[in-house]
Amino acid sequence: MNAPLDRWLAAVSGLLAVCLATIGCAPVPAPPPVTSSSPYVRAPVDENTEPTGEVVATGGYLFPGSESSSVYGEGGPVFRLGDHYDLAVRGRLTGVTAEGNLRLVRGGFELGWLHGVGGFYVSDWSAHLVTGASFQLGADGPQQLFGAVRYAYATGAEDSFETREYIITSVGYRFPMVSDLSVAPELQFATDSELEYHLAPTVSFSAQF
Amino acid sequence: MRRRITDVTRGGTLALLALLYLSGCVMYPAGPDSSMAPFVQLESEQPGGDPEYGKVSSSMGVWFFRGANLAAPYGSGSLSWWLTDEYTLVGMSTGNGLGLQGKWMMADTSDVRVGFVHGLTFNPRLWGFLTGGVFAQRDTRRASTPYGGVRMTLVFSDMQIAAASHEWAAGWTFRTGSLQWGPEARLGIPVGELAVEGLGLTMQMEATF
């Protein structure tokens, strides 16, 4: 076997996993489609070592309004496709999401348009569409204030085609740590069309590659 | 000789994967849902470069459970911190819980690395996991290496052992700059009747910092 074949096998394995995830369902309750906006936040870098992306791991708690709290965790890569576009892919126990962010940069301020698909949320909800806006302050400095407002349209699954809409607001702050590592605490607040609310404090760690 | 062993290992892994998949394995997360990959560590290929402190890892894929006619998407994130040359601490988050695991390197040469993993995962709603096992990887100074391991997991609920399982993992990791990536397969085998056999296919991405 040679290196191209190795890479081909790895790519096929990954594609198979994603395809299987899209047809699957899991026996777990569906959380709102909250997801961290910290993956879209870029740390300032040396022009000579421009990274091509980051790996992000997020953990925290999810406090649904009418249920007891649950653990929240997700992880995935963010690819920088050009100077103004990021693509983030994330996986968690209840599904896989893919979101893009088209960003306009003006000095230390960035404004982005978020859009994506996600879900495969098992028995209750199968998929959702997301769009929204992101912002970042201090983009040209070592620390950034960031946030996003998302609108998510979730479709029902199985014998129910009920739909539900979410508005998810998040705000966070990103600090540099050692080397290429950053940490970003974030607070997310989601309300849905059934007037239930969800609160999710999270912490994200990201390393550039 | 080494290449022959590598090819046989790789071929055997793929054949095992195909056999398990075709035999209709389906699932339930039998263990704490943490990949072996955060424990796998390649030597830096850039002598004199920046020191490496650890890495951020993400895993995503799907689990299949035998007899349950279910396939569940899966994702997690983790932060590994290399405390010493012999010990690595891993904090991880999944939908199953928040976990803390350690890796103690028992033997480390340029050809093979063998370690002992141990850890706890906690979910405030349901239960806790206690995990211990061994793992091994080859060719630690090359840009890619196969690895594998086995873990024993006890699931506690209401201060009693609710389930137990052993989980076998095999994967391959590649390194491109500060990014590591690769596929991994895991087979969870229950002890007793409280869990379900499962096969997990996962794609890993990790960035060192």
Side-chain angles (χ1 to χ4, degrees):
Chain A
M1 300 207 181
N2 52 32
L5 186 55
D6 290 341
R7 295 190 181 94
W8 185 84
L9 285 174
V12 170
S13 299
L15 186 62
L16 174 65
V18 173
C19 289
L20 291 170
T22 62
I23 63 174
C25 56
V28 291
V34 296
T35 193
S36 172
S37 53
S38 66
Y40 303 110
V41 181
R42 291 189 180 193
V45 296
D46 184 343
E47 291 182 355
N48 297 322
T49 58
E50 178 69 33
T52 55
E54 292 182 85
V55 172
V56 182
T58 302
Y61 275 83
L62 185 64
F63 297 97
S66 58
E67 304 171 21
S68 56
S69 62
S70 61
V71 174
Y72 169 81
E74 66 177 21
V78 184
F79 299 101
R80 298 181 176 175
L81 308 178
D83 292 334
H84 300 284
Y85 197 81
D86 294 341
L87 178 64
V89 182
R90 281 161 295 205
R92 68 184 84 161
L93 189 68
T94 52
V96 179
T97 65
E99 280 192 16
N101 192 22
L102 180 64
R103 302 173 308 106
L104 296 175
V105 185
R106 290 289 182 274
F109 180 72
E110 291 187 2
L111 190 63
W113 171 48
L114 291 169
H115 50 278
V117 297
F120 324 123
Y121 276 155
V122 235
S123 47
D124 287 331
W125 305 98
S126 65
H128 64 253
L129 300 173
V130 174
T131 188
S134 69
F135 76 90
Q136 177 180 336
L137 291 174
D140 52 354
Q143 302 173 357
Q144 297 104 23
L145 176 70
F146 64 88
V149 177
R150 289 183 176 90
Y151 165 79
Y153 181 83
T155 62
E158 294 188 342
D159 57 348
S160 169
F161 288 92
E162 185 183 3
T163 61
R164 188 173 293 193
E165 298 169 76
Y166 293 91
I167 298 290
I168 305 134
T169 305
S170 61
V171 63
Y173 204 79
R174 173 158 154 161
F175 305 88
M177 294 181 72
V178 297
S179 189
D180 294 327
L181 179 69
S182 295
V183 59
E186 183 177 357
L187 187 64
Q188 303 184 57
F189 182 74
T191 55
D192 64 24
S193 51
E194 301 296 322
L195 298 180
E196 293 184 354
Y197 67 89
H198 312 264
L199 187 66
T202 65
V203 176
S204 294
F205 294 93
S206 59
Q208 299 174 344
F209 61 84
Chain B
M1 183 63 181
R2 173 184 296 177
R3 172 171 287 276
R4 182 174 177 80
I5 293 174
T6 300
D7 289 347
V8 169
T9 303
R10 187 178 311 175
T13 301
L14 291 174
L16 175 64
L17 269 178
L19 185 64
L20 290 170
Y21 177 64
L22 293 175
S23 66
C25 276
V26 256
M27 80 159 167
Y28 157 93
D33 275 350
S34 68
S35 165
M36 280 281 179
F39 299 109
V40 177
Q41 176 180 335
L42 292 177
E43 297 294 336
S44 172
E45 293 186 326
Q46 300 172 342
D50 293 334
E52 293 178 341
Y53 301 93
K55 59 188 174 184
V56 175
S57 306
S58 69
S59 306
M60 61 181 69
V62 62
W63 271 92
F64 302 90
F65 295 109
R66 179 187 293 278
N69 195 25
L70 286 174
Y74 156 71
S76 69
S78 64
L79 176 71
S80 304
W81 203 276
W82 302 335
L83 297 181
T84 71
D85 289 341
E86 290 81 27
Y87 199 85
T88 302
L89 194 62
V90 182
M92 60 186 184
S93 64
T94 75
N96 262 359
L98 300 176
L100 194 63
Q101 296 199 12
K103 176 192 70 178
W104 174 44
M105 206 72 69
M106 294 185 290
D108 188 3
T109 71
S110 61
D111 289 330
V112 66
R113 178 179 288 168
V114 178
F116 172 65
V117 297
H118 50 276
L120 287 165
T121 301
F122 179 66
N123 184 314
R125 293 181 63 186
L126 300 173
W127 18 242
F129 294 110
L130 180 64
T131 303
V134 296
F135 84 99
Q137 67 176 102
R138 281 180 49 82
D139 300 333
T140 60
R141 300 188 195 285
R142 294 179 58 182
S144 69
T145 180
Y147 64 91
V150 58
R151 286 184 291 224
M152 184 77 187
T153 298
L154 299 175
V155 182
F156 291 89
S157 179
D158 295 331
M159 301 304 290
Q160 293 182 335
I161 296 177
S165 66
H166 50 105
E167 184 183 16
W168 300 76
W172 203 287
T173 188
F174 303 88
R175 182 164 186 157
T176 305
S178 57
L179 178 69
Q180 280 181 240
W181 58 278
E184 182 179 292
R186 282 175 286 158
L187 180 63
I189 301 174
V191 178
E193 300 178 352
L194 295 177
V196 183
E197 277 185 36
L199 171 68
L201 302 177
T202 303
M203 191 69 185
Q204 322 286 340
M205 294 197 77
E206 307 169 350
T208 55
F209 59 84

